[in-house]
Amino acid sequence: MDETVTLYRIDPRRNMQRYYRLSLAPSLYGDIALVREWGRLGRHGQQTIDLYDGQSAALNALARLAAAKRRRGYQAATD
């Protein structure tokens, strides 16, 4: 269940270097935890955890949040 999405928003003209990471992990109580981490690249960011009853609900939330960030200009890393 190692589902992780990492998005970046880098705009040198605005001095913007941000990341947003979404990952799923099982909790100790049988729930699925959606871990959201965000902040400036190279710095300690913030984190929040949302619990979901099932994996499908957590995957839907992950997809919804990733789509919202992409609409705001975040993109996956290009190799």
Side-chain angles (χ1 to χ4, degrees):
M1 174 199 315
D2 188 31
E3 182 71 31
T4 301
V5 175
T6 304
L7 301 170
Y8 300 97
R9 187 171 178 192
I10 299 172
D11 185 354
R13 292 177 292 130
R14 296 173 59 191
N15 193 26
M16 183 184 298
Q17 298 177 348
R18 299 180 183 166
Y19 72 93
Y20 197 87
R21 184 175 298 120
L22 298 160
S23 59
L24 297 180
S27 73
L28 294 175
Y29 303 107
D31 297 338
I32 304 297
L34 173 59
V35 181
R36 297 188 282 165
E37 301 174 63
W38 67 92
R40 186 171 172 87
L41 287 172
R43 307 275 177 148
H44 292 289
Q46 298 181 27
Q47 181 181 54
T48 187
I49 299 173
D50 300 318
L51 297 176
Y52 293 90
D53 290 332
Q55 185 171 358
S56 63
L59 283 170
N60 288 339
L62 184 143
R64 189 182 77 250
L65 289 166
K69 287 299 173 184
R70 285 186 175 104
R71 283 192 300 271
R72 301 244 356 200
Y74 283 77
Q75 301 175 354
T78 55
D79 294 322

